[in-house]
Amino acid sequence: MNVTYYLTEIGFDGFGIPDIVWASLGLAAATILAFWFRTKENDFLYPLVIVWAFIGIGVKNMDEHSGFAYAAYALAAIIFLFDVFYRRKKVTA
């Protein structure tokens, strides 16, 4: 999340939108990317990077934002299970 670090450094206020909302949008965007890479690019490793990041996000935020941390854990579990069990259907011509 180097982008968020940079935005914090330059004093970006998020257009008045609370930080937790921006963080939730980041989780949603990363989840979409994980599913896209798994289904469209047939890449099984990229979603695992997202899973690892979400676990770290959950650990970091457990004390202050436990609901957000549990959401990160839940999304990590969903992405992991999808990554393990997804099988691309073979197209026959």
Side-chain angles (χ1 to χ4, degrees):
M1 293 277 170
N2 293 332
V3 173
T4 57
Y5 178 79
Y6 173 73
L7 291 174
T8 302
E9 280 294 311
I10 64 170
F12 179 68
D13 69 350
F15 304 115
I17 299 171
D19 292 343
I20 197 73
V21 174
W22 280 110
S24 299
L25 290 172
L27 287 181
T31 300
I32 290 168
L33 283 173
F35 284 118
W36 186 82
F37 271 94
R38 183 64 176 113
T39 58
K40 301 300 182 196
E41 300 294 322
N42 204 27
D43 185 347
F44 67 93
L45 292 177
Y46 184 83
L48 296 178
V49 173
I50 301 296
V51 167
W52 180 257
F54 282 9
I55 292 170
I57 289 168
V59 169
K60 176 80 173 166
N61 288 283
M62 183 53 84
D63 291 336
E64 291 184 41
H65 306 286
S66 61
F68 178 73
Y70 287 125
Y73 291 145
L75 288 172
I78 290 167
I79 293 168
F80 179 76
L81 291 172
F82 182 81
D83 194 39
V84 169
F85 293 110
Y86 174 76
R87 298 288 180 255
R88 180 178 271 188
K89 293 181 182 178
K90 293 183 180 181
V91 178
T92 56

